[in-house]
């Protein structure tokens, strides 16, 4: 193998390393973005569960009041 071939292989390897580094940067950014989305969705889910629990409690309270009214009539 002559020097020109070695230099060509070295350049090819350097290009490949740069491509891999760029891919790594993009994946890191995507991972960060996905983690933020996950945190947001977890927060939204928690809020929806709390609203659901409040609605359930109100419905149960209404049922109890209706039963109470039914017993008094």
């Amino acid at each position: 193998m002559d020097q020109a071939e070695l230099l060509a292989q070295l350049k090819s390897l350097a290009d490949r390393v740069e491509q891999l580094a760029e891919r790594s940067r993009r994946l890191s950014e995507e991972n960060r973005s996905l983690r933020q989305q996950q945190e947001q969705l977890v927060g939204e889910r928690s809020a929806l569960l709390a609203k659901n629990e409040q609605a359930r409690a109100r419905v149960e309270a209404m049922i109890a009041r209706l039963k109470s009214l039914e017993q008094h009539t």
Side-chain angles (χ1 to χ4, degrees), residues 16-69:
R16 181 75 176 132
V17 168
E18 183 58 38
Q19 289 172 358
L20 290 171
E22 178 59 30
R23 180 177 288 174
S24 176
R25 284 189 288 271
R26 280 185 283 132
L27 289 173
S28 292
E29 178 61 27
E30 183 180 356
N31 190 34
R32 184 191 63 75
S33 175
L34 289 171
R35 286 183 189 273
Q36 285 179 340
Q37 287 176 359
Q38 181 183 21
E39 288 178 22
Q40 180 183 355
L41 291 171
V42 166
E44 289 174 8
R45 180 180 184 271
S46 179
L48 289 171
L49 287 172
K51 284 183 178 182
N52 189 41
E53 181 60 28
Q54 290 173 353
R56 187 187 62 74
R58 286 194 307 264
V59 168
E60 286 180 356
M62 282 189 265
I63 290 171
R65 282 194 300 266
L66 287 172
K67 285 181 180 179
S68 175
L69 286 172

Tab-separated table of all heavy atoms in Angstrom, residues 16-69:
chain	number	residue	atom	x	y	z
A	16	ARG	N	-15.639	9.572	8.138
A	16	ARG	CA	-16.587	8.682	8.827
A	16	ARG	C	-16.714	9.056	10.306
A	16	ARG	O	-17.809	9.076	10.855
A	16	ARG	CB	-16.126	7.222	8.677
A	16	ARG	CG	-17.029	6.227	9.313
A	16	ARG	CD	-18.286	6.038	8.487
A	16	ARG	NE	-19.086	4.991	9.093
A	16	ARG	CZ	-20.368	5.083	9.331
A	16	ARG	NH1	-21.036	6.160	8.960
A	16	ARG	NH2	-21.023	4.102	9.888
A	17	VAL	N	-15.588	9.372	10.939
A	17	VAL	CA	-15.612	9.792	12.347
A	17	VAL	C	-16.431	11.076	12.493
A	17	VAL	O	-17.236	11.215	13.416
A	17	VAL	CB	-14.184	9.969	12.899
A	17	VAL	CG1	-14.189	10.679	14.241
A	17	VAL	CG2	-13.496	8.613	13.028
A	18	GLU	N	-16.250	12.008	11.573
A	18	GLU	CA	-17.017	13.262	11.618
A	18	GLU	C	-18.510	12.990	11.437
A	18	GLU	O	-19.346	13.585	12.113
A	18	GLU	CB	-16.518	14.232	10.545
A	18	GLU	CG	-17.209	15.583	10.580
A	18	GLU	CD	-17.079	16.305	11.917
A	18	GLU	OE1	-16.018	16.228	12.546
A	18	GLU	OE2	-18.061	16.957	12.327
A	19	GLN	N	-18.866	12.085	10.530
A	19	GLN	CA	-20.272	11.721	10.337
A	19	GLN	C	-20.857	11.119	11.616
A	19	GLN	O	-21.982	11.435	12.012
A	19	GLN	CB	-20.419	10.730	9.189
A	19	GLN	CG	-20.176	11.315	7.822
A	19	GLN	CD	-20.147	10.233	6.743
A	19	GLN	OE1	-20.280	9.041	7.024
A	19	GLN	NE2	-19.955	10.653	5.497
A	20	LEU	N	-20.072	10.243	12.233
A	20	LEU	CA	-20.542	9.617	13.477
A	20	LEU	C	-20.686	10.644	14.600
A	20	LEU	O	-21.632	10.586	15.389
A	20	LEU	CB	-19.608	8.487	13.900
A	20	LEU	CG	-19.630	7.249	13.010
A	20	LEU	CD1	-18.517	6.291	13.406
A	20	LEU	CD2	-20.979	6.550	13.089
A	21	ALA	N	-19.762	11.591	14.662
A	21	ALA	CA	-19.853	12.639	15.674
A	21	ALA	C	-21.099	13.492	15.453
A	21	ALA	O	-21.815	13.828	16.407
A	21	ALA	CB	-18.593	13.506	15.647
A	22	GLU	N	-21.381	13.821	14.189
A	22	GLU	CA	-22.583	14.607	13.873
A	22	GLU	C	-23.843	13.822	14.222
A	22	GLU	O	-24.793	14.365	14.783
A	22	GLU	CB	-22.592	15.003	12.393
A	22	GLU	CG	-23.825	15.774	11.964
A	22	GLU	CD	-24.020	17.072	12.731
A	22	GLU	OE1	-23.026	17.678	13.167
A	22	GLU	OE2	-25.185	17.468	12.904
A	23	ARG	N	-23.864	12.545	13.893
A	23	ARG	CA	-25.015	11.708	14.236
A	23	ARG	C	-25.201	11.653	15.755
A	23	ARG	O	-26.316	11.734	16.256
A	23	ARG	CB	-24.854	10.297	13.679
A	23	ARG	CG	-26.047	9.402	14.016
A	23	ARG	CD	-25.920	8.033	13.419
A	23	ARG	NE	-26.134	8.134	11.976
A	23	ARG	CZ	-25.977	7.131	11.137
A	23	ARG	NH1	-25.592	5.957	11.578
A	23	ARG	NH2	-26.210	7.289	9.858
A	24	SER	N	-24.101	11.554	16.466
A	24	SER	CA	-24.168	11.526	17.926
A	24	SER	C	-24.749	12.833	18.466
A	24	SER	O	-25.588	12.825	19.378
A	24	SER	CB	-22.776	11.289	18.508
A	24	SER	OG	-22.802	11.339	19.910
A	25	ARG	N	-24.331	13.958	17.906
A	25	ARG	CA	-24.877	15.262	18.328
A	25	ARG	C	-26.375	15.343	18.062
A	25	ARG	O	-27.155	15.795	18.909
A	25	ARG	CB	-24.151	16.401	17.618
A	25	ARG	CG	-22.766	16.688	18.155
A	25	ARG	CD	-22.187	17.964	17.551
A	25	ARG	NE	-21.809	17.799	16.154
A	25	ARG	CZ	-20.617	17.389	15.726
A	25	ARG	NH1	-19.680	17.087	16.590
A	25	ARG	NH2	-20.371	17.279	14.435
A	26	ARG	N	-26.784	14.882	16.865
A	26	ARG	CA	-28.215	14.919	16.529
A	26	ARG	C	-29.028	14.016	17.448
A	26	ARG	O	-30.108	14.395	17.911
A	26	ARG	CB	-28.434	14.512	15.067
A	26	ARG	CG	-28.156	15.646	14.088
A	26	ARG	CD	-28.501	15.246	12.662
A	26	ARG	NE	-27.432	14.383	12.151
A	26	ARG	CZ	-27.600	13.226	11.531
A	26	ARG	NH1	-28.800	12.760	11.294
A	26	ARG	NH2	-26.577	12.529	11.101
A	27	LEU	N	-28.503	12.831	17.725
A	27	LEU	CA	-29.221	11.914	18.613
A	27	LEU	C	-29.302	12.450	20.039
A	27	LEU	O	-30.321	12.286	20.711
A	27	LEU	CB	-28.556	10.529	18.592
A	27	LEU	CG	-28.733	9.736	17.302
A	27	LEU	CD1	-27.888	8.467	17.349
A	27	LEU	CD2	-30.190	9.404	17.043
A	28	SER	N	-28.246	13.098	20.482
A	28	SER	CA	-28.273	13.704	21.814
A	28	SER	C	-29.340	14.794	21.897
A	28	SER	O	-30.083	14.884	22.879
A	28	SER	CB	-26.903	14.287	22.172
A	28	SER	OG	-25.965	13.262	22.352
A	29	GLU	N	-29.413	15.620	20.865
A	29	GLU	CA	-30.427	16.682	20.833
A	29	GLU	C	-31.832	16.083	20.777
A	29	GLU	O	-32.740	16.533	21.473
A	29	GLU	CB	-30.190	17.599	19.620
A	29	GLU	CG	-31.214	18.695	19.462
A	29	GLU	CD	-31.270	19.652	20.627
A	29	GLU	OE1	-30.254	19.822	21.321
A	29	GLU	OE2	-32.354	20.227	20.861
A	30	GLU	N	-32.004	15.056	19.958
A	30	GLU	CA	-33.304	14.401	19.873
A	30	GLU	C	-33.685	13.770	21.211
A	30	GLU	O	-34.830	13.872	21.651
A	30	GLU	CB	-33.277	13.332	18.779
A	30	GLU	CG	-34.612	12.639	18.570
A	30	GLU	CD	-34.551	11.572	17.481
A	30	GLU	OE1	-33.504	11.409	16.823
A	30	GLU	OE2	-35.576	10.896	17.298
A	31	ASN	N	-32.721	13.160	21.861
A	31	ASN	CA	-32.957	12.546	23.161
A	31	ASN	C	-33.380	13.596	24.187
A	31	ASN	O	-34.323	13.390	24.956
A	31	ASN	CB	-31.700	11.810	23.631
A	31	ASN	CG	-31.942	10.958	24.837
A	31	ASN	OD1	-33.008	10.392	25.003
A	31	ASN	ND2	-30.937	10.854	25.687
A	32	ARG	N	-32.695	14.752	24.163
A	32	ARG	CA	-33.044	15.844	25.085
A	32	ARG	C	-34.469	16.320	24.825
A	32	ARG	O	-35.262	16.494	25.756
A	32	ARG	CB	-32.064	17.006	24.922
A	32	ARG	CG	-32.282	18.144	25.915
A	32	ARG	CD	-31.470	19.370	25.531
A	32	ARG	NE	-31.877	19.922	24.253
A	32	ARG	CZ	-32.980	20.632	24.045
A	32	ARG	NH1	-33.822	20.864	25.043
A	32	ARG	NH2	-33.281	21.108	22.857
A	33	SER	N	-34.805	16.477	23.553
A	33	SER	CA	-36.143	16.919	23.186
A	33	SER	C	-37.204	15.906	23.620
A	33	SER	O	-38.253	16.275	24.155
A	33	SER	CB	-36.215	17.139	21.678
A	33	SER	OG	-37.519	17.465	21.275
A	34	LEU	N	-36.924	14.633	23.403
A	34	LEU	CA	-37.885	13.593	23.795
A	34	LEU	C	-38.060	13.540	25.307
A	34	LEU	O	-39.175	13.323	25.805
A	34	LEU	CB	-37.443	12.232	23.256
A	34	LEU	CG	-37.567	12.060	21.747
A	34	LEU	CD1	-36.890	10.766	21.310
A	34	LEU	CD2	-39.013	12.084	21.305
A	35	ARG	N	-36.989	13.759	26.050
A	35	ARG	CA	-37.099	13.772	27.514
A	35	ARG	C	-37.967	14.941	27.977
A	35	ARG	O	-38.770	14.800	28.897
A	35	ARG	CB	-35.723	13.835	28.159
A	35	ARG	CG	-34.964	12.527	28.071
A	35	ARG	CD	-33.624	12.613	28.798
A	35	ARG	NE	-32.826	11.443	28.538
A	35	ARG	CZ	-32.892	10.320	29.226
A	35	ARG	NH1	-33.735	10.217	30.237
A	35	ARG	NH2	-32.114	9.293	28.932
A	36	GLN	N	-37.802	16.094	27.328
A	36	GLN	CA	-38.646	17.242	27.673
A	36	GLN	C	-40.112	16.945	27.365
A	36	GLN	O	-41.002	17.267	28.165
A	36	GLN	CB	-38.205	18.487	26.904
A	36	GLN	CG	-36.947	19.109	27.425
A	36	GLN	CD	-36.537	20.339	26.618
A	36	GLN	OE1	-36.955	20.526	25.471
A	36	GLN	NE2	-35.712	21.177	27.213
A	37	GLN	N	-40.366	16.337	26.212
A	37	GLN	CA	-41.742	15.981	25.855
A	37	GLN	C	-42.324	14.995	26.859
A	37	GLN	O	-43.489	15.120	27.256
A	37	GLN	CB	-41.790	15.373	24.455
A	37	GLN	CG	-41.579	16.362	23.345
A	37	GLN	CD	-41.551	15.684	21.971
A	37	GLN	OE1	-41.667	14.469	21.854
A	37	GLN	NE2	-41.390	16.484	20.936
A	38	GLN	N	-41.505	14.038	27.270
A	38	GLN	CA	-41.972	13.049	28.237
A	38	GLN	C	-42.329	13.727	29.557
A	38	GLN	O	-43.370	13.430	30.153
A	38	GLN	CB	-40.908	11.976	28.464
A	38	GLN	CG	-41.356	10.899	29.436
A	38	GLN	CD	-40.269	9.883	29.721
A	38	GLN	OE1	-39.087	10.151	29.528
A	38	GLN	NE2	-40.669	8.728	30.181
A	39	GLU	N	-41.472	14.634	30.028
A	39	GLU	CA	-41.760	15.355	31.264
A	39	GLU	C	-43.060	16.140	31.149
A	39	GLU	O	-43.873	16.157	32.074
A	39	GLU	CB	-40.608	16.289	31.618
A	39	GLU	CG	-39.366	15.576	32.106
A	39	GLU	CD	-38.226	16.529	32.394
A	39	GLU	OE1	-38.483	17.728	32.616
A	39	GLU	OE2	-37.069	16.077	32.391
A	40	GLN	N	-43.256	16.784	30.008
A	40	GLN	CA	-44.481	17.556	29.790
A	40	GLN	C	-45.703	16.636	29.803
A	40	GLN	O	-46.717	16.945	30.441
A	40	GLN	CB	-44.407	18.308	28.467
A	40	GLN	CG	-45.651	19.125	28.174
A	40	GLN	CD	-45.568	19.797	26.807
A	40	GLN	OE1	-44.555	19.725	26.109
A	40	GLN	NE2	-46.648	20.451	26.423
A	41	LEU	N	-45.600	15.505	29.121
A	41	LEU	CA	-46.727	14.578	29.066
A	41	LEU	C	-47.027	13.973	30.428
A	41	LEU	O	-48.196	13.784	30.786
A	41	LEU	CB	-46.453	13.473	28.036
A	41	LEU	CG	-46.455	13.927	26.578
A	41	LEU	CD1	-45.963	12.800	25.673
A	41	LEU	CD2	-47.833	14.397	26.157
A	42	VAL	N	-45.995	13.698	31.197
A	42	VAL	CA	-46.208	13.182	32.555
A	42	VAL	C	-46.940	14.224	33.399
A	42	VAL	O	-47.865	13.896	34.144
A	42	VAL	CB	-44.866	12.764	33.200
A	42	VAL	CG1	-45.005	12.560	34.692
A	42	VAL	CG2	-44.332	11.499	32.542
A	43	GLY	N	-46.551	15.479	33.244
A	43	GLY	CA	-47.237	16.560	33.964
A	43	GLY	C	-48.692	16.690	33.537
A	43	GLY	O	-49.582	16.845	34.377
A	44	GLU	N	-48.930	16.624	32.229
A	44	GLU	CA	-50.304	16.717	31.725
A	44	GLU	C	-51.140	15.537	32.218
A	44	GLU	O	-52.294	15.721	32.601
A	44	GLU	CB	-50.309	16.752	30.200
A	44	GLU	CG	-49.790	18.047	29.618
A	44	GLU	CD	-49.673	18.008	28.106
A	44	GLU	OE1	-50.128	17.024	27.488
A	44	GLU	OE2	-49.114	18.965	27.545
A	45	ARG	N	-50.539	14.363	32.229
A	45	ARG	CA	-51.254	13.169	32.700
A	45	ARG	C	-51.618	13.324	34.174
A	45	ARG	O	-52.731	13.001	34.589
A	45	ARG	CB	-50.393	11.923	32.506
A	45	ARG	CG	-51.079	10.650	32.965
A	45	ARG	CD	-50.170	9.438	32.744
A	45	ARG	NE	-50.835	8.207	33.085
A	45	ARG	CZ	-50.829	7.669	34.295
A	45	ARG	NH1	-50.193	8.263	35.286
A	45	ARG	NH2	-51.465	6.535	34.523
A	46	SER	N	-50.683	13.828	34.949
A	46	SER	CA	-50.943	14.039	36.379
A	46	SER	C	-52.097	15.019	36.576
A	46	SER	O	-52.977	14.797	37.413
A	46	SER	CB	-49.676	14.558	37.055
A	46	SER	OG	-49.900	14.796	38.413
A	47	ALA	N	-52.090	16.095	35.806
A	47	ALA	CA	-53.163	17.083	35.908
A	47	ALA	C	-54.505	16.470	35.515
A	47	ALA	O	-55.532	16.710	36.171
A	47	ALA	CB	-52.857	18.297	35.031
A	48	LEU	N	-54.510	15.657	34.454
A	48	LEU	CA	-55.754	15.018	34.022
A	48	LEU	C	-56.258	14.012	35.056
A	48	LEU	O	-57.464	13.912	35.295
A	48	LEU	CB	-55.563	14.335	32.669
A	48	LEU	CG	-55.409	15.272	31.474
A	48	LEU	CD1	-55.014	14.475	30.237
A	48	LEU	CD2	-56.689	16.052	31.234
A	49	LEU	N	-55.338	13.290	35.673
A	49	LEU	CA	-55.749	12.349	36.731
A	49	LEU	C	-56.364	13.095	37.908
A	49	LEU	O	-57.358	12.640	38.489
A	49	LEU	CB	-54.555	11.508	37.195
A	49	LEU	CG	-54.074	10.438	36.217
A	49	LEU	CD1	-52.776	9.809	36.714
A	49	LEU	CD2	-55.138	9.365	36.026
A	50	ALA	N	-55.787	14.241	38.260
A	50	ALA	CA	-56.334	15.041	39.355
A	50	ALA	C	-57.729	15.555	38.996
A	50	ALA	O	-58.651	15.505	39.826
A	50	ALA	CB	-55.398	16.200	39.676
A	51	LYS	N	-57.903	16.036	37.760
A	51	LYS	CA	-59.222	16.509	37.331
A	51	LYS	C	-60.229	15.366	37.340
A	51	LYS	O	-61.384	15.549	37.726
A	51	LYS	CB	-59.150	17.119	35.929
A	51	LYS	CG	-58.532	18.491	35.880
A	51	LYS	CD	-58.570	19.024	34.450
A	51	LYS	CE	-58.007	20.418	34.381
A	51	LYS	NZ	-58.084	20.960	33.011
A	52	ASN	N	-59.800	14.202	36.897
A	52	ASN	CA	-60.675	13.041	36.884
A	52	ASN	C	-61.102	12.682	38.305
A	52	ASN	O	-62.277	12.366	38.555
A	52	ASN	CB	-59.962	11.857	36.223
A	52	ASN	CG	-60.879	10.687	35.991
A	52	ASN	OD1	-62.020	10.857	35.602
A	52	ASN	ND2	-60.370	9.488	36.220
A	53	GLU	N	-60.182	12.730	39.233
A	53	GLU	CA	-60.495	12.426	40.628
A	53	GLU	C	-61.474	13.458	41.200
A	53	GLU	O	-62.405	13.106	41.920
A	53	GLU	CB	-59.206	12.391	41.460
A	53	GLU	CG	-59.423	12.070	42.914
A	53	GLU	CD	-60.076	10.718	43.156
A	53	GLU	OE1	-59.920	9.796	42.328
A	53	GLU	OE2	-60.791	10.594	44.184
A	54	GLN	N	-61.286	14.722	40.862
A	54	GLN	CA	-62.206	15.766	41.328
A	54	GLN	C	-63.609	15.534	40.762
A	54	GLN	O	-64.610	15.662	41.485
A	54	GLN	CB	-61.707	17.150	40.918
A	54	GLN	CG	-60.477	17.595	41.659
A	54	GLN	CD	-59.917	18.895	41.089
A	54	GLN	OE1	-60.367	19.395	40.052
A	54	GLN	NE2	-58.915	19.444	41.765
A	55	ALA	N	-63.681	15.191	39.487
A	55	ALA	CA	-64.981	14.939	38.859
A	55	ALA	C	-65.651	13.728	39.508
A	55	ALA	O	-66.858	13.750	39.778
A	55	ALA	CB	-64.811	14.717	37.358
A	56	ARG	N	-64.870	12.686	39.772
A	56	ARG	CA	-65.426	11.495	40.417
A	56	ARG	C	-65.973	11.830	41.800
A	56	ARG	O	-67.073	11.416	42.185
A	56	ARG	CB	-64.359	10.399	40.539
A	56	ARG	CG	-64.919	9.077	41.047
A	56	ARG	CD	-63.826	8.066	41.309
A	56	ARG	NE	-62.891	8.476	42.340
A	56	ARG	CZ	-63.167	8.484	43.647
A	56	ARG	NH1	-64.354	8.115	44.085
A	56	ARG	NH2	-62.260	8.864	44.516
A	57	ALA	N	-65.228	12.634	42.546
A	57	ALA	CA	-65.674	13.027	43.882
A	57	ALA	C	-66.960	13.850	43.802
A	57	ALA	O	-67.877	13.660	44.620
A	57	ALA	CB	-64.573	13.816	44.589
A	58	ARG	N	-67.056	14.743	42.825
A	58	ARG	CA	-68.280	15.545	42.682
A	58	ARG	C	-69.474	14.667	42.323
A	58	ARG	O	-70.576	14.854	42.851
A	58	ARG	CB	-68.078	16.638	41.624
A	58	ARG	CG	-67.214	17.783	42.101
A	58	ARG	CD	-67.293	18.997	41.187
A	58	ARG	NE	-67.016	18.700	39.796
A	58	ARG	CZ	-65.834	18.843	39.207
A	58	ARG	NH1	-64.811	19.284	39.897
A	58	ARG	NH2	-65.683	18.568	37.930
A	59	VAL	N	-69.253	13.710	41.416
A	59	VAL	CA	-70.341	12.811	41.025
A	59	VAL	C	-70.787	11.984	42.226
A	59	VAL	O	-71.994	11.820	42.471
A	59	VAL	CB	-69.923	11.910	39.846
A	59	VAL	CG1	-70.922	10.784	39.626
A	59	VAL	CG2	-69.767	12.747	38.578
A	60	GLU	N	-69.837	11.474	42.996
A	60	GLU	CA	-70.192	10.696	44.174
A	60	GLU	C	-70.956	11.547	45.188
A	60	GLU	O	-71.911	11.078	45.818
A	60	GLU	CB	-68.944	10.092	44.817
A	60	GLU	CG	-68.380	8.937	44.024
A	60	GLU	CD	-67.131	8.347	44.668
A	60	GLU	OE1	-66.645	8.878	45.695
A	60	GLU	OE2	-66.633	7.333	44.129
A	61	ALA	N	-70.555	12.812	45.334
A	61	ALA	CA	-71.260	13.707	46.250
A	61	ALA	C	-72.681	13.961	45.759
A	61	ALA	O	-73.639	13.978	46.564
A	61	ALA	CB	-70.502	15.024	46.391
A	62	MET	N	-72.855	14.136	44.458
A	62	MET	CA	-74.207	14.341	43.905
A	62	MET	C	-75.070	13.105	44.127
A	62	MET	O	-76.244	13.221	44.492
A	62	MET	CB	-74.126	14.658	42.408
A	62	MET	CG	-73.718	16.076	42.100
A	62	MET	SD	-73.892	16.420	40.341
A	62	MET	CE	-72.242	16.102	39.791
A	63	ILE	N	-74.492	11.940	43.916
A	63	ILE	CA	-75.248	10.703	44.132
A	63	ILE	C	-75.667	10.594	45.588
A	63	ILE	O	-76.824	10.239	45.894
A	63	ILE	CB	-74.420	9.484	43.696
A	63	ILE	CG1	-74.278	9.472	42.160
A	63	ILE	CG2	-75.044	8.187	44.176
A	63	ILE	CD1	-73.292	8.434	41.638
A	64	ALA	N	-74.764	10.927	46.496
A	64	ALA	CA	-75.087	10.870	47.919
A	64	ALA	C	-76.207	11.851	48.254
A	64	ALA	O	-77.128	11.516	49.015
A	64	ALA	CB	-73.842	11.162	48.754
A	65	ARG	N	-76.166	13.052	47.690
A	65	ARG	CA	-77.227	14.043	47.949
A	65	ARG	C	-78.564	13.555	47.377
A	65	ARG	O	-79.608	13.704	48.019
A	65	ARG	CB	-76.850	15.391	47.348
A	65	ARG	CG	-75.841	16.154	48.180
A	65	ARG	CD	-75.736	17.604	47.746
A	65	ARG	NE	-75.327	17.768	46.361
A	65	ARG	CZ	-74.075	17.948	45.939
A	65	ARG	NH1	-73.105	18.010	46.815
A	65	ARG	NH2	-73.820	18.103	44.671
A	66	LEU	N	-78.517	12.967	46.188
A	66	LEU	CA	-79.757	12.451	45.600
A	66	LEU	C	-80.346	11.329	46.451
A	66	LEU	O	-81.560	11.278	46.665
A	66	LEU	CB	-79.499	11.970	44.177
A	66	LEU	CG	-79.272	13.047	43.130
A	66	LEU	CD1	-78.831	12.434	41.807
A	66	LEU	CD2	-80.530	13.889	42.935
A	67	LYS	N	-79.491	10.443	46.937
A	67	LYS	CA	-79.966	9.375	47.807
A	67	LYS	C	-80.560	9.925	49.086
A	67	LYS	O	-81.575	9.450	49.587
A	67	LYS	CB	-78.849	8.392	48.129
A	67	LYS	CG	-78.503	7.476	46.979
A	67	LYS	CD	-77.397	6.503	47.373
A	67	LYS	CE	-77.059	5.580	46.215
A	67	LYS	NZ	-75.970	4.650	46.562
A	68	SER	N	-79.911	10.988	49.613
A	68	SER	CA	-80.407	11.618	50.837
A	68	SER	C	-81.772	12.249	50.585
A	68	SER	O	-82.688	12.127	51.407
A	68	SER	CB	-79.411	12.674	51.306
A	68	SER	OG	-79.914	13.379	52.406
A	69	LEU	N	-81.932	12.935	49.451
A	69	LEU	CA	-83.204	13.544	49.122
A	69	LEU	C	-84.267	12.464	48.912
A	69	LEU	O	-85.439	12.646	49.315
A	69	LEU	CB	-83.082	14.385	47.834
A	69	LEU	CG	-82.341	15.704	47.962
A	69	LEU	CD1	-82.131	16.314	46.586
A	69	LEU	CD2	-83.076	16.655	48.870
